[in-house]
Amino acid sequence: MGDAITGRIKGIHHITMMAGDASDNNGFYTRTLGLRRIKKTVNFDAPEVYHLYFGDGTGTPGSVMTSFPFGGMPRGRRGTGEVTITEFAVPPGALDYWSERFAARGVAGLTEGMAFGAARLDFEGPDGEGLALVEADARGRVPWTGGDVPADKGILGFNGARMRLRDGAGAADLLGFMGYELAGQDGALTRYRVPGGNAADVIDIEVRPQDAPARQGAGSIHHIAFAVEDAEAHVAVRTALVDAGYEVTPVIDRDYFRAIYFRAPGGVLFEVATHDPGFARDEDPAELGTALKLPARYEPHRDRIEAGLDPIAD
Ligand code: ZN
């Protein structure tokens, strides 16, 4: 049955977090991490909240961190049933640069280490979100160089993500169904990798049976989206998931990609999103992320929506 999916999932498409202050979130991902803001829009289901997208120069699937900044939302509490760490890839040898940069900027939670044979630097974002930089080969990816991070140090996109679960068996089955293969064990972490995908191809599962469930709030990952190329692959994946018993939403048009959502065993919200049409759909590539873009159904209400959003300090 997994044959309908095998080869279609390319790795991570985007990862979406809940944040507190929009300007703090925006400033960290652009000025501190050196990502490009590639879209400024609103939560399509709640247009009083921004939806900000940060990634490489064009928002290549596998590079895109997104946020819903809810203003004064209390911080979440890390626990089981969520993505606890979002890992970005940086070129081999780049971590010393990042350690110094983060220390100079007062970034919290700096911890150097190794996992699966790769040097890594764990740290926290402004809402306490768990992040890491991992040294990895570029594999054809190039960083955004519009900020002040040198090209040979810049973030290449995601390396992967870590999920913390009370019981990993159901999620492991699902990842296998999606085409992921067991790729190693390091301490409490089990690694899965999708062959033939984009370079954002790793999912680690950390099983902690005694831990309490996460409480969602600012700094929590809302969902993780996996990439497929086009609408045909998207429908095939949806059909296979439904046939396998997963409760999957209808296809939803998110303007920049098509989306389906379903809850993975263990509690993490999964999305499957298409590569097309991409972020240049409604903005010139040179202007990505600069203007507030709204889906067509909200354009008649633009004045009211804009008036309700705090300006973001760029
Ligand atoms: Zn999403």
Side-chain angles (χ1 to χ4, degrees):
M1 194 114 82
D3 286 352
I5 295 190
T6 300
R8 295 194 185 271
I9 300 284
K10 301 301 181 185
I12 297 169
H13 184 287
H14 64 270
I15 295 177
T16 295
M17 65 172 290
M18 296 187 286
D21 183 76
S23 289
D24 289 348
N25 175 260
N26 182 78
F28 187 79
Y29 286 90
T30 57
R31 288 193 294 280
T32 298
L33 295 187
L35 300 177
R36 184 182 193 190
R37 191 176 72 215
I38 42 132
K39 196 60 65 183
K40 179 167 72 170
T41 181
V42 294
N43 183 328
F44 284 15
D45 301 319
E48 67 280 5
V49 178
Y50 280 116
H51 194 180
L52 305 177
Y53 290 72
F54 310 99
D56 67 7
T58 58
T60 306
S63 77
V64 181
M65 186 78 179
T66 97
S67 65
F68 299 133
F70 283 95
M73 170 185 262
R75 274 194 184 188
R77 187 190 59 204
R78 294 290 85 75
T80 57
E82 66 173 354
V83 171
T84 48
I85 299 181
T86 299
E87 295 185 357
F88 294 97
V90 294
L95 284 187
D96 287 347
Y97 166 84
W98 285 101
S99 287
E100 281 184 28
R101 181 180 177 90
F102 286 168
R105 290 164 183 250
V107 173
L110 295 181
T111 309
E112 295 177 19
M114 295 278 292
F116 296 99
R120 59 187 287 129
L121 176 63
D122 285 76
F123 60 104
E124 292 179 4
D127 293 298
E129 65 269 35
L131 302 168
L133 300 179
V134 180
E135 292 190 353
D137 293 334
R139 295 169 62 186
R141 301 198 288 181
V142 292
W144 167 244
T145 52
D148 66 347
V149 177
D152 64 343
K153 312 292 186 203
I155 288 175
L156 301 163
F158 295 125
N159 182 64
R162 183 184 301 179
M163 301 193 295
R164 183 181 296 170
L165 305 172
R166 290 182 82 111
D167 176 346
D173 284 349
L174 171 59
L175 289 173
F177 187 71
M178 292 168 62
Y180 282 75
E181 296 177 353
L182 185 63
Q185 187 86 33
D186 188 341
L189 303 175
T190 306
R191 170 155 291 190
Y192 300 86
R193 187 188 298 275
V194 68
N198 62 29
D201 53 7
V202 162
I203 299 290
D204 292 337
I205 294 181
E206 176 187 33
V207 176
R208 290 175 59 160
Q210 275 82 38
D211 280 19
R215 187 180 62 222
Q216 293 262 295
S220 298
I221 299 303
H222 185 268
H223 63 267
I224 178 169
F226 296 86
V228 297
E229 283 184 2
D230 54 22
E232 186 268 330
H234 201 230
V235 169
V237 167
R238 183 179 184 281
T239 300
L241 288 166
V242 169
D243 288 349
Y246 295 99
E247 289 189 38
V248 187
T249 66
V251 174
I252 301 170
D253 182 0
R254 294 303 190 194
D255 277 14
Y256 312 109
F257 46 84
R258 289 159 180 260
I260 55 173
Y261 304 85
F262 62 105
R263 190 71 61 179
V268 177
L269 183 60
F270 277 19
E271 176 183 345
V272 180
T274 54
H275 285 190
D276 56 357
F279 296 99
R281 176 183 179 275
D282 60 357
E283 243 173 339
D284 187 278
E287 306 291 328
L288 286 178
T290 55
L292 178 69
K293 307 306 291 188
L294 297 176
R297 68 180 180 278
Y298 293 141
E299 274 299 347
H301 313 294
R302 173 176 282 274
D303 287 352
R304 184 168 53 79
I305 288 171
E306 283 196 345
L309 293 166
D310 288 334
I312 292 175
D314 284 311

